[in-house]
């Protein structure tokens, strides 16, 4: 080294730089996103993968995400009573029951037929029969109404040829109402307006109620009674929908249907539908809770329905009500922050309310994942720490604003993505711990090897030059063999047991914290000390007198450091768990270790590689020394882990 002063700095640079770090990080993130895609989550922005591990709140829609999105009409209530509808989903069959018996009351029959006729005509969904099965195209809620009407033999196309749609006021989350207008060919100047929407909203626009075969004025007492029925149905976890209609002049709706036609309506009744919770949703909510993540349900449904579903899923305890959009309107930002700390169910909310909820949670230092599907959800998706767009029902605008796209619209997939995000981040820390400690050992071996030889005199000198413990080509080989395959295998390490029982990672924490730096230095020193002792043992003089040549000593040093780093791979699988726990769960890791050992044997014995890397043959006893000293890093680190677990 005295003959070439610049060689020392070049060797240290080669030893210090983990050349594969960037490539391995990219590969691990890419493999992680592929696994997430297999679990129904497509990542649009790679940075979101890291944020997933810090998520503390998941704000989710109800319909289709926490529930099956298979709406089925179960109850119809009119002025004359309640009718229960049987049947499963969109399957043909089922009947109408009143007080447990087939529906026979003429007045009730007329009211139910009129209500379902109006509800079916106020919808845009269509029903098709395919191979004896019914399939709905369109909104599931509207599909349930069409199916219910079809089951009772209402609205046959041949019987409705005289009706033609002439106008529509579409549903919006602000209006919570949809209306259509139909002209009747049998009556030239008249049209019928049919409306459906939130019962409380629709009831406020009604002045009469259909009873039997004629309308009657709607009294305050009846309004209260209808709202009480709505509350009862919502308490049964049924989603409620009011239906109403009126007759107007065709000219009123022919060109541009005004919203004032939605006044002075005749109330026809209430439909109770159920969208059963997904079987896996409750388990996912519980998994999220164990992981320190709060599930928050945001829906446009009735507050009682929302509270009942939330309690059934385990989002809230039974008896805890929902915060409504009207409640939010009365709260300023500071008051909303206080509400957001504890409230996990929101009902009758508008898209603008979602944005306020996200901001309130973020103001409380929560890391928020928000789901959405509509155009109006885009601001909330953009503002949330992780925006999750629905892949099935989501609009292009929502998908463009989101960080991730949920291909099956399933809450369980969001929780699975959080678990995958935690696993990816943990694996990145594993190979960082491994790469940096391994490179630290190389730096310490090179630096102190030169210092000990040149200053202290423990290692011998060869001629006028200080003997370098390793050649530059040998350091490059170590980085090639140990920093590539084994490090990459750590990046696909299976999830640690208990990964989802740990609290979310603090987003302000460093990837390499103080404890990890201590671990890196501790392990690096162990490997360096063992390797330098082997080097000293192999050469004449020094602390341990040997009788080998310089090439022999460098080969021993070289091989010992390789094995030390391979044993260190097992250490890096966890900073607390024993290396022997789940020892054979990662077949890629063992494949990389076996390949690395075979390559090291080749570089020691094959003549052309010996010339390239300056190695000599080693005896079996030499291999035992290299492996034995190299394994000390495993045993000493295991001892430290044992102390950590005991503490």
């Amino acid at each position: 080294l005295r003959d070439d002063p610049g060689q020392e700095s070049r060797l240290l640079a080669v030893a210090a730089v983990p050349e594969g770090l960037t490539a391995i990080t990219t590969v691990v993130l890419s493999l992680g996103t592929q696994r997430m895609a297999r679990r129904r989550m497509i990542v649009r922005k790679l940075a979101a993968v890291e944020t997933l591990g810090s998520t503390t709140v998941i704000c989710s829609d109800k319909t289709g995400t926490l529930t099956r999105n298979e709406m089925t009409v179960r109850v119809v209530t009119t002025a004359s009573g309640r009718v229960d509808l049987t049947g499963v989903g969109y399957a043909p069959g089922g009947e109408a029951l009143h007080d447990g018996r087939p529906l026979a009351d003429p007045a009730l029959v007329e009211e139910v037929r009129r209500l379902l006729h109006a509800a079916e005509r106020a919808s845009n969904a269509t029903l098709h029969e395919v191979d004896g099965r019914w399939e709905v195209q369109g909104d599931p809620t509207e599909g349930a109404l069409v199916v219910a009407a079809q089951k009772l033999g209402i609205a046959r196309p041949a019987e409705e040829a005289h009706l033609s749609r002439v106008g529509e006021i579409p549903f919006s989350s602000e209006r919570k109402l949809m209306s259509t207008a139909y002209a009747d060919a049998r009556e030239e100047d008249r049209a019928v307006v049919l409306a459906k929407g939130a019962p409380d909203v629709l009831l406020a626009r009604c002045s009469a109620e259909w009873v039997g075969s004629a309308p009657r004025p709607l009294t305050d007492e009846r309004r209260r009674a209808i709202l009480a029925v709505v509350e009862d149905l919502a308490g049964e976890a049924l989603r409620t929908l009011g239906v109403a209609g009126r007759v107007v002049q065709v000219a009123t709706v022919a060109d541009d249907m005004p919203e004032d036609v939605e006044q002075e309506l005749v109330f026809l009744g209430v439909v109770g539908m159920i969208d059963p919770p997904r079987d896996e949703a409750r388990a996912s909510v519980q998994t999220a809770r164990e992981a320190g993540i709060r599930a928050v349900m945001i829906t446009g449904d009735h507050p009682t329905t929302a509270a009942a579903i939330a309690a059934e899923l385990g989002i809230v305890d039974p008896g805890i009500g929902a915060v409504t959009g009207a409640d939010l309107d009365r709260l300023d930002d500071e008051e909303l922050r206080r509400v957001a700390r504890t409230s996990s169910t929101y009902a009758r909310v508008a898209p603008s309310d979602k944005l306020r909820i996200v901001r309130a949670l973020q103001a409380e230092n929560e890391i928020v994942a928000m789901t959405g599907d509509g155009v109006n959800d885009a601001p909330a998706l953009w503002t949330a720490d992780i925006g999750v767009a629905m892949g099935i029902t989501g609009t292009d605008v929502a998908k463009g604003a989101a960080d991730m796209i949920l291909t099956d619209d399933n809450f369980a997939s969001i929780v699975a993505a959080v678990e995958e995000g935690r696993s990816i981040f943990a694996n990145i820390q594993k190979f960082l711990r491994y790469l940096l400690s391994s490179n630290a050992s190389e730096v310490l071996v090179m630096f102190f090897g030169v210092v000990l030889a040149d200053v202290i005199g423990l290692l011998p000198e060869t001629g006028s030059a200080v003997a370098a413990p390793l050649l530059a080509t040998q350091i490059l080989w170590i980085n090639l063999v140990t920093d590539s395959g084994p490090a990459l295998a750590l990046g696909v390490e299976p999830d640690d047991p208990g990964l989802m029982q740990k609290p979310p990672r603090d987003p302000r924490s460093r990837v390499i914290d103080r404890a990890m730096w201590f671990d890196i230095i501790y392990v690096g020193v162990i490997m360096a000390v063992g390797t330098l002792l082997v080097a000293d043992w192999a050469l004449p003089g020094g602390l341990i007198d040997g009788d080998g040549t310089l090439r022999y000593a460098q080969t021993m040093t070289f091989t010992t450091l390789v094995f030390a780093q391979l044993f260190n791979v097992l250490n890096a699988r966890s900073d607390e768990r024993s290396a022997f726990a789940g020892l054979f769960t990662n077949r890629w890791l063992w494949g990389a270790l076996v390949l690395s050992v075979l390559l090291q044997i080749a570089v020691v014995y094959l003549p052309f590689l010996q010339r390239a890397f300056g190695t000599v043959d080693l005896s079996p006893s030499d291999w035992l020394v290299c492996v034995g000293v190299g394994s000390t890093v495993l045993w000493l680190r295991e001892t430290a882990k044992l102390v950590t677990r005991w503490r």
Side-chain angles (χ1 to χ4, degrees):
L1 289 175
R2 290 196 191 97
D3 296 338
D4 184 6
Q7 183 182 352
E8 181 179 359
S9 61
R10 289 196 296 272
L11 288 173
L12 285 175
V14 171
V17 177
E19 298 88 349
L21 181 59
T22 304
I24 293 172
T25 302
T26 304
V27 171
V28 169
L29 285 173
S30 299
L31 292 174
T33 56
Q34 286 184 353
R35 292 196 301 272
M36 292 175 72
R38 289 195 292 270
R39 300 181 78 168
R40 310 293 187 232
M41 182 70 81
I42 298 174
V43 179
R44 294 187 63 251
K45 300 175 183 177
L46 206 55
V49 175
E50 179 184 349
T51 310
L52 275 171
S54 302
T55 302
T56 59
V57 176
I58 301 176
C59 296
S60 173
D61 291 327
K62 178 182 75 68
T63 304
T65 307
L66 291 164
T67 59
R68 297 179 184 175
N69 203 22
E70 297 176 358
M71 297 296 282
T72 305
V73 174
R74 291 295 187 206
V75 177
V76 175
T77 63
T78 64
S80 299
R82 167 174 172 155
V83 174
D84 295 292
L85 303 183
T86 65
V88 179
Y90 297 155
E95 58 180 334
L97 303 176
H98 177 53
D99 292 335
R101 294 185 295 273
L103 179 61
D105 184 341
L108 192 53
V109 169
E110 172 63 22
E111 292 169 3
V112 171
R113 289 181 63 87
R114 185 174 292 271
L115 183 151
L116 290 179
H117 175 274
E120 188 265 351
R121 281 292 166 176
S123 302
N124 290 321
T126 57
L127 185 66
H128 305 279
E129 188 169 349
V130 179
D131 298 330
R133 296 175 57 254
W134 285 348
E135 292 185 359
V136 169
Q137 293 182 348
D139 180 77
T141 299
E142 294 186 344
L145 298 172
V146 176
V147 168
Q150 191 76 357
K151 284 181 178 180
L152 296 185
I154 299 170
R156 300 289 183 183
E159 300 173 2
E160 303 296 331
H162 59 279
L163 293 177
S164 59
R165 185 178 291 194
V166 293
E168 176 181 336
I169 304 177
F171 175 87
S172 72
S173 54
E174 290 78 20
R175 286 172 15 90
K176 298 180 175 61
L177 194 68
M178 174 186 177
S179 298
T180 59
Y182 286 85
D184 192 336
R186 298 172 301 184
E187 301 183 39
E188 294 183 1
D189 297 331
R190 304 182 72 187
V192 60
V193 173
L194 303 173
K196 70 178 191 307
D200 51 342
V201 174
L202 191 62
L203 197 60
R205 299 169 181 259
C206 295
S207 59
E209 179 183 20
W210 194 272
V211 181
S213 57
R216 291 183 185 175
L218 193 58
T219 64
D220 291 340
E221 182 180 358
R222 276 299 298 158
R223 290 179 189 274
R224 289 191 294 270
I226 293 170
L227 291 175
V229 169
V230 171
E231 287 290 335
D232 291 341
L233 294 178
E236 298 176 30
L238 295 174
R239 181 180 182 181
T240 56
L241 201 66
V243 183
R246 65 173 293 194
V247 176
V248 298
Q249 296 294 317
V250 171
T252 306
V253 297
D255 297 324
D256 186 14
M257 188 170 170
E259 289 192 16
D260 58 12
V261 300
E262 296 175 327
Q263 303 294 334
E264 301 299 320
L265 296 169
V266 177
F267 194 75
L268 301 177
V270 177
V271 176
M273 295 176 283
I274 188 168
D275 182 11
R278 291 180 181 268
D279 296 334
E280 64 275 22
R282 183 179 180 86
S284 297
V285 169
Q286 180 60 31
T287 299
R289 176 175 291 182
E290 292 174 356
I293 302 170
R294 179 158 60 104
V296 174
M297 188 176 77
I298 302 176
T299 178
D301 283 358
H302 190 278
T304 308
T305 304
I309 293 291
E312 184 175 347
L313 291 170
I315 294 175
V316 297
D317 294 329
I320 296 180
V323 179
T324 66
D327 296 332
L328 296 177
D329 292 339
R330 291 191 292 268
L331 300 175
D332 60 28
D333 292 343
E334 186 61 33
E335 292 171 331
L336 179 56
R337 285 181 57 179
R338 289 196 295 270
V339 170
R341 291 172 195 164
T342 56
S343 298
S344 297
T345 309
Y346 297 86
R348 287 282 191 264
V349 297
S352 58
D353 295 325
K354 286 187 176 183
L355 180 59
R356 291 192 66 204
I357 293 170
V358 168
R359 288 175 172 168
L361 290 168
Q362 289 175 330
E364 292 296 306
N365 297 318
E366 304 281 7
I367 305 300
V368 183
M370 168 65 76
T371 67
D373 54 7
V375 174
N376 294 334
D377 291 333
L381 293 174
W382 184 267
T383 303
D385 298 283
I386 302 175
V388 182
M390 301 294 103
I392 298 175
T393 61
T395 62
D396 291 340
V397 174
K399 294 175 183 177
D403 302 294
M404 300 181 175
I405 298 175
L406 196 60
T407 59
D408 61 352
D409 294 6
N410 191 341
F411 181 84
S413 297
I414 303 176
V415 177
V418 171
E419 181 179 7
E420 196 66 54
R422 288 189 176 190
S423 177
I424 291 171
F425 188 84
N427 287 346
I428 289 175
Q429 286 188 313
K430 290 173 186 177
F431 72 70
L432 280 175
R433 183 185 299 114
Y434 168 66
L435 287 177
L436 293 178
S437 60
S438 296
N439 280 80
S441 69
E442 294 171 27
V443 171
L444 293 172
V445 166
M446 292 305 302
F447 180 77
F448 285 103
V450 172
V451 170
L452 291 172
D454 192 28
V455 179
I456 304 177
L458 293 181
L459 296 178
E461 298 185 9
T462 303
S464 61
V466 176
L470 295 170
L471 300 176
T473 52
Q474 292 172 348
I475 297 175
L476 289 172
W477 177 262
I478 292 173
N479 288 347
L480 174 66
V481 171
T482 64
D483 286 9
S484 53
L488 189 58
L490 281 175
V492 293
E493 183 78 8
D495 295 349
D496 291 337
L499 183 68
M500 291 298 282
Q501 278 73 50
K502 298 179 180 179
R505 181 181 60 85
D506 187 344
R508 296 168 296 183
S509 64
R510 299 179 181 273
V511 178
I512 307 176
D513 56 18
R514 181 179 300 176
M516 187 170 169
W517 275 121
F518 177 81
D519 186 28
I520 290 169
I521 296 172
Y522 172 69
V523 171
V525 168
I526 293 173
M527 291 191 289
V529 169
T531 302
L532 288 173
L533 286 175
V534 170
D536 187 54
W537 169 82
L539 287 168
L543 185 65
I544 307 173
D545 193 14
D547 57 2
T549 64
L550 177 60
R551 289 189 66 185
Y552 168 75
Q554 288 175 332
T555 303
M556 289 290 290
T557 305
F558 176 35
T559 304
T560 301
L561 189 54
V562 167
F563 275 100
Q565 294 191 8
L566 294 181
F567 278 110
N568 187 34
V569 175
L570 302 178
N571 286 332
R573 294 176 62 233
S574 175
D575 59 344
E576 294 180 359
R577 196 161 54 101
S578 171
F580 300 99
L583 186 59
F584 299 102
T585 56
N586 188 347
R587 58 189 177 92
W588 296 106
L589 181 61
W590 284 101
L593 290 175
V594 170
L595 178 61
S596 298
V597 171
L598 292 176
L599 289 173
Q600 185 62 24
I601 293 173
V603 85
V604 170
Y605 289 115
L606 294 181
F608 73 95
L609 289 177
Q610 286 181 336
R611 290 191 298 271
F613 292 94
T615 60
V616 296
D617 291 349
L618 297 179
S619 67
S621 60
D622 292 333
W623 283 101
L624 287 176
V625 170
C626 294
V627 174
V629 174
S631 68
T632 57
V633 68
L634 176 62
W635 310 120
L636 291 175
R637 186 68 184 93
E638 279 294 295
T639 303
K641 289 182 181 180
L642 184 62
V643 172
T644 300
R645 291 195 298 272
W646 177 78
R647 292 179 61 185

